[in-house]
């Protein structure tokens, strides 16, 4: 072994190290490179599919949707149907409004995106809204902030304490509520995005629609939703396991309500029984006191 070249003497160990650690490391790097290549190819294929869906389906569909919306609002302007919008405002109650049939439809089209905006107002029907007296400075501030946020008017007949803080006020909704529907598509997402503000509540609801679901049936659902007719447009299908959880929760709440009702009824019965017993005892005590006084008078006679 002493007379062999260094490369031959170390060949056994070096070969084993090369086949063990270093080959394993190269394999890991190769696998990572293949994984990244596969991911890049998948991302490129997904990007190409989305761009194709945008060019072949979504971009033409936006033209059809724009024509549908314009025809819809033209008919609504002529027919002037009474469309009610109802929203519940915390601390106040239900705000009722009716759609004003003055619509604006705008389209913005760019190289790889398109957007349609439909906007109009609903006039708050003050005569159909409650007049609510709010007590307490914190509650007055909370309701005032909501009224200011949604431009529903100012508090009426405010009452102040010694420090000048409003501790009581009357609220009655008035004004106009803006409603906006935005429909947008782009090559990056390859989907149709629906956005509705102040329709179901005083907030923005968003839904995305796959290209294969875009068509006349969807346009009809959109039209019915805008007219506040019954529709499944903004209702998502829930997974069965989640539905089971909801059903179980509803059953638990129902059992809880039943027990609370039974407990409340039992408490009322016991309270009524105590009142009856207390009333009878009090009457006997009063009679006893009167008899005692009478005996006292009799005993003092000469």
């Amino acid at each position: 072994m002493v007379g062999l070249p260094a490369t031959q003497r170390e060949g056994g160990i070096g070969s084993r190290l090369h086949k063990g650690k270093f080959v394993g490391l190269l394999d890991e790097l190769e696998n990572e490179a293949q994984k990244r290549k596969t991911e890049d190819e998948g991302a490129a294929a997904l990007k190409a599919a989305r761009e194709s869906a945008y060019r072949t389906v979504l971009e033409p569909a936006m033209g059809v949707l724009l024509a549908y919306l314009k025809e819809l609002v033209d008919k609504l302007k002529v027919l002037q149907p009474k469309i009610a919008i109802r929203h519940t405002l915390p601390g106040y109650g239900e705000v009722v409004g009716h759609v004003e049939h003055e619509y604006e439809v705008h389209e913005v089209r760019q190289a790889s995106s398109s957007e349609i905006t439909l906007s109009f107002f609903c006039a708050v029907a003050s005569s159909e809204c409650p007049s609510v007296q709010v007590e307490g400075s914190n509650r007055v501030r909370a309701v005032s902030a909501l009224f200011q946020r949604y431009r529903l008017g100012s508090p009426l007949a405010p009452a102040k304490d010694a420090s000048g803080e409003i501790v009581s006020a009357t609220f009655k909704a008035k004004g106009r509520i803006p409603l906006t529907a935005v429909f947008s598509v782009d090559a990056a997402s390859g989907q149709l995005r629906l956005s509705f503000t102040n329709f179901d509540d005083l907030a923005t609801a968003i839904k995305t629609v796959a290209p294969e679901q875009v068509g006349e049936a969807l346009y009809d659902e959109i039209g019915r939703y805008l007219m506040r007719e019954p529709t499944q447009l903004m209702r998502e299908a829930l997974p069965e396991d989640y539905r089971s959880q909801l059903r179980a929760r509803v059953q638990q709440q129902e059992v809880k309500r039943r027990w609370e009702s039974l407990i409340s009824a039992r408490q009322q019965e016991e309270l009524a029984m105590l009142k009856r017993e207390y009333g009878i005892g009090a009457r006997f005590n009063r009679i006893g006191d009167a008899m005692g006084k009478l005996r006292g008078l009799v005993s003092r006679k000469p």
Side-chain angles (χ1 to χ4, degrees):
M1 293 293 294
V2 176
L4 294 175
T7 54
Q8 293 183 20
R9 291 199 306 268
E10 298 175 359
I13 297 175
S15 177
R16 286 196 297 272
L17 288 175
H18 182 71
K19 292 180 180 179
K21 178 180 177 181
F22 299 130
V23 171
L25 176 60
L26 293 176
D27 288 341
E28 291 177 5
L29 294 176
E30 177 64 22
N31 292 337
E32 185 64 27
Q34 289 294 333
K35 180 180 177 182
R36 184 170 301 181
K37 180 181 178 182
T38 302
E39 290 175 350
D40 291 343
E41 290 176 349
L46 180 61
K47 180 181 179 181
R50 289 176 174 177
E51 290 178 349
S52 176
Y54 172 76
R55 300 299 179 190
T56 61
V57 178
L58 296 176
E59 191 176 33
M62 289 294 279
V64 179
L65 177 59
L66 178 63
Y68 175 87
L69 293 173
K70 287 183 175 180
E71 184 176 356
L72 175 65
V73 299
D74 286 342
K75 285 181 168 57
L76 293 176
K77 288 178 181 179
V78 173
L79 297 174
Q80 297 282 313
K82 189 174 182 179
I83 302 175
I85 303 290
R86 300 177 184 274
H87 299 309
T88 299
L89 203 64
Y92 172 74
E94 189 175 58
V95 178
V96 183
H98 299 290
V99 170
E100 297 177 341
H101 296 288
E102 295 296 330
Y103 304 91
E104 292 186 4
V105 182
H106 299 290
E107 180 190 26
V108 177
R109 189 179 291 269
Q110 298 180 354
S112 57
S113 66
S114 180
E115 181 176 281
I116 300 172
T117 302
L118 169 64
S119 57
F120 53 100
F121 285 89
C122 113
V124 176
S126 294
S127 60
E128 300 179 42
C129 297
S131 180
V132 178
Q133 180 75 19
V134 178
E135 302 289 344
S137 58
N138 291 335
R139 292 186 61 198
V140 170
R141 281 197 298 270
V143 178
S144 294
L146 289 175
F147 265 57
Q148 183 177 6
R149 178 180 178 182
Y150 300 114
R151 300 180 181 179
L152 296 175
S154 302
L156 307 174
K160 300 181 180 179
D161 60 10
S163 65
E165 186 174 17
I166 298 178
V167 294
S168 175
T170 301
F171 291 87
K172 192 171 183 63
K174 64 178 182 179
R176 302 167 79 209
I177 299 175
L179 291 94
T180 306
V182 180
F183 311 93
S184 57
V185 296
D186 59 78
S189 68
Q191 292 182 321
L192 169 62
R193 184 176 186 268
L194 313 178
S195 172
F196 299 97
T197 301
N198 296 339
F199 281 83
D200 289 325
D201 51 26
L202 291 168
T204 299
I206 297 174
K207 178 177 182 177
T208 56
V209 182
E212 59 270 17
Q213 296 176 331
V214 178
E216 293 183 0
L218 176 64
Y219 307 149
D220 187 72
E221 288 288 297
I222 290 173
R224 294 183 184 279
Y225 182 83
L226 294 173
M227 293 183 64
R228 313 312 297 141
E229 292 186 1
T231 174
Q232 300 294 318
L233 179 65
M234 299 303 290
R235 297 181 182 179
E236 297 290 346
L238 299 177
E240 184 57 34
D241 57 345
Y242 185 64
R243 290 187 180 186
S244 299
Q245 294 176 11
L246 290 179
R247 284 194 292 267
R249 189 178 304 172
V250 170
Q251 291 174 357
Q252 292 173 357
Q253 292 175 349
E254 181 63 25
V255 171
K256 181 181 177 182
R257 282 194 295 268
R258 289 178 182 175
W259 275 109
E260 290 175 346
S261 178
L262 289 173
I263 293 171
S264 177
R266 181 63 60 85
Q267 289 175 342
Q268 293 296 327
E269 291 175 0
E270 292 177 354
L271 181 60
M273 183 177 65
L274 289 173
K275 286 182 177 179
R276 287 195 300 270
E277 292 178 354
Y278 177 79
I280 293 172
R283 285 197 293 273
F284 275 115
N285 289 336
R286 287 196 295 271
I287 293 172
D289 292 342
M291 292 297 291
K293 291 179 181 179
L294 181 59
R295 283 195 295 269
L297 291 173
V298 171
S299 64
R300 287 200 295 270
K301 280 189 175 183

